[in-house]
Amino acid sequence: MTRRSTSALLALSLSASIASAQTATTLKDAAAAVGLNIGIATNSNQVNNATSAYATIVKQQFNMVVCENEMKFEGTENPIGTYKYTGGDAVYTFAAANGMKMRGHNFIWRDQAGPAKNAIHDRTTGLTIMRNHIENVGGHFKTKILEWDVLNEITSGSSLEVNFWRTNIGDDYLDSAFAMSRRAVGNNGYLYYNDFGGDGVNGKSTSMFNLAKKWQTNKVPVDGIGLQCHLGSGFKKDDISANIKRFGDLGLRISLTEIDITNAKASDWTNLLTACLENYNCVSFVTWGLSDANSWIGSNCGCLLYSGSTPAPKTEMIQALITAMAAADPAISAKRKEFAAKGPGGVTGINFPTIQPMRRASGNLQGTASVPVFSIGSGAVVDILGRVPVVPSASAKSLDVLPK
Ligand code: XIL
């Protein structure tokens, strides 16, 4: 094909995507034109009746869902070793029937952790419970989930949060959670660290950024950062855009994962969406519920795109979002589509499942001997799929204490 006909084709497809964004009448059509996942947190009892007013809106307007609660530890493993997937399965069935993608929220968190908190009393019980949870839940949902929140809310201000996972396992619980997740879901899903309060550039997001850089250096398989975006009206678009950009410079996906904006004006919603649209690495935009009436913030929060239990659309806001997507820079949208199509793999240069050998530790591996081994965090050694050497290398401190 000549260069001229290639560029003519490109111009044609660009104008086609502009046209479809401009003529879109739903959020999801406008989002598809700019290569964005537009998502919503929901619960199985809200979508089990697929013809309810609520479910009808969800499938008409959104192309991604996430369980608000049902895939957390307490919803999936309670008591320890007893797994329950009915809530997540029901939401997935609804999503799949309507061509929607799904986020997985979450593997490791201090809250809603059910029996984990009391069952963990040292490093071995901590790592064992963590591994079994991630292997089972991740294994069950692994072909169904696009983005996994492996770690939820682990930073407090500029330091690591003190929680029962960290106290018992040690700081490398973070690295282990990612390594175990990669092993559990393979390269079917992108692995995320998700947190609140680090949406713009501030001390907390700088800690998150430094953690992400350290993980990349240590070959910990992180693919993305979730910015929860529990916001109040009047935040600064440019601040959030600059934060998204700096993670993009590390090659990381950004998803805005739990959006609600207290007392929001239409301009707040468009500002947040525009901060995302300005950055090719911002791939998902997820509202934390449909209507103020069922928001965890409270029914008078004025924080979502619909109000009331019927629910009634805040048309001005929804239309403003569609207009913002129609106005997005087509070059950035094209780059987003290309970026989002790249498989998981975390660190640039590592492309699952074709892994180039990096460094062999002296221990034998469980499974294939040819999988490379690396050292992570405070010295634990696992292979790149998160498997633990049976015989630890001299430098291995400890994931190897795990019984197998
Ligand atoms: C909230 C849910 O919305 C509530 O229904 C539940 O009672 C508590 O958790 N950060 C998170 C989410 O990562 O999981 C939380 O969701 C909101 C804050």
Side-chain angles (χ1 to χ4, degrees):
M1 192 180 289
T2 63
R3 195 176 327 147
R4 198 160 159 196
S5 58
T6 315
S7 55
L9 259 180
L10 190 71
L12 224 139
S13 81
L14 277 182
S15 59
S17 78
I18 296 167
S20 58
Q22 274 168 355
T23 52
T25 54
T26 64
L27 289 169
K28 82 170 177 197
D29 287 349
V34 297
L36 191 66
N37 302 308
I38 185 134
I40 181 163
T42 190
N43 299 291
S44 59
N45 63 359
Q46 293 172 301
V47 293
N48 272 341
N49 176 358
T51 56
S52 67
Y54 173 99
T56 303
I57 293 170
V58 171
K59 60 191 176 196
Q60 275 172 356
Q61 298 291 336
F62 298 88
N63 60 24
M64 179 181 249
V65 284
V66 56
C67 286
E68 182 176 8
N69 289 302
E70 287 160 299
M71 280 177 61
K72 293 170 180 174
F73 200 117
E74 70 176 10
T76 49
E77 184 177 354
N78 199 351
I80 295 292
T82 300
Y83 297 94
K84 185 177 139 204
Y85 305 125
T86 42
D89 281 347
V91 171
Y92 174 74
T93 301
F94 173 82
N98 295 294
M100 305 168 89
K101 294 173 182 160
M102 188 161 169
R103 303 194 82 253
H105 178 77
N106 58 63
F107 284 144
I108 300 299
W109 190 22
R110 99 187 82 77
D111 282 348
Q112 295 180 279
K117 192 169 180 172
N118 292 332
I120 292 175
H121 46 83
D122 57 17
R123 180 171 172 83
T124 305
T125 49
L127 284 169
T128 305
I129 285 173
M130 176 188 274
R131 188 190 63 187
N132 289 341
H133 182 73
I134 293 175
E135 275 184 1
N136 279 281
V137 180
H140 179 83
F141 288 104
K142 78 173 175 185
T143 57
K144 303 175 175 172
I145 298 294
L146 185 76
E147 300 174 352
W148 283 101
D149 290 334
V150 170
L151 298 172
N152 198 40
E153 302 183 354
I154 49 113
T155 306
S156 172
S158 56
S159 13
L160 284 185
E161 172 184 287
V162 178
N163 61 45
F164 71 92
W165 294 105
R166 181 176 173 219
T167 308
N168 285 290
I169 298 176
D171 290 359
D172 62 349
Y173 82 106
L174 307 173
D175 309 351
S176 298
F178 275 115
M180 291 167 181
S181 299
R182 178 61 79 216
R183 173 171 58 177
V185 308
N187 54 346
N188 293 288
Y190 298 93
L191 305 183
Y192 276 69
Y193 157 36
N194 184 49
D195 216 324
F196 70 96
D199 313 310
V201 176
N202 58 30
K204 176 152 178 173
S205 63
T206 299
S207 304
M208 294 166 68
F209 182 78
N210 290 335
L211 270 174
K213 270 208 299 205
K214 190 171 99 185
W215 289 332
Q216 291 190 323
T217 304
N218 291 336
K219 312 294 184 215
V220 173
V222 56
D223 300 303
I225 301 292
L227 305 178
Q228 290 185 4
C229 293
H230 295 293
L231 296 164
S233 178
F235 58 84
K236 300 266 180 296
K237 169 184 83 65
D238 289 348
D239 187 28
I240 295 181
S241 184
N243 197 33
I244 296 172
K245 179 178 182 312
R246 67 173 167 167
F247 285 102
D249 293 341
L250 298 182
L252 291 170
R253 295 163 66 99
I254 287 284
S255 295
L256 308 187
T257 53
E258 302 183 13
I259 306 167
D260 43 41
I261 310 172
T262 311
N263 300 319
K265 303 189 180 79
S267 58
D268 292 312
W269 277 99
T270 51
N271 278 339
L272 188 61
L273 181 61
T274 305
C276 180
L277 294 171
E278 286 172 352
N279 292 283
Y280 71 89
N281 65 312
C282 187
V283 290
S284 303
F285 186 90
V286 182
T287 70
W288 204 241
L290 182 68
S291 164
D292 299 339
N294 47 43
S295 166
W296 75 304
I297 302 282
S299 55
N300 295 323
C301 61
C303 57
L304 292 169
L305 294 171
Y306 287 72
S307 60
S309 46
T310 307
K314 299 180 191 172
T315 311
E316 185 200 349
M317 292 185 188
I318 295 167
Q319 194 48 53
L321 292 180
I322 293 172
T323 305
M325 287 189 269
D329 180 339
I332 297 175
S333 302
K335 204 169 165 191
R336 176 178 303 107
K337 289 177 187 174
E338 197 184 311
F339 174 74
K342 277 202 315 196
V347 185
T348 314
I350 296 175
N351 190 15
F352 287 91
T354 317
I355 304 162
Q356 295 308 311
M358 292 151 58
R359 181 176 75 70
R360 292 299 308 269
S362 55
N364 296 323
L365 295 173
Q366 297 166 5
T368 342
S370 61
V371 177
V373 176
F374 57 93
S375 207
I376 55 176
S378 58
V381 171
V382 294
D383 69 31
I384 201 158
L385 299 179
R387 290 178 295 200
V388 179
V390 175
V391 180
S393 72
S395 65
K397 289 210 185 93
S398 59
L399 277 186
D400 42 72
V401 300
L402 275 175
K404 180 81 184 180

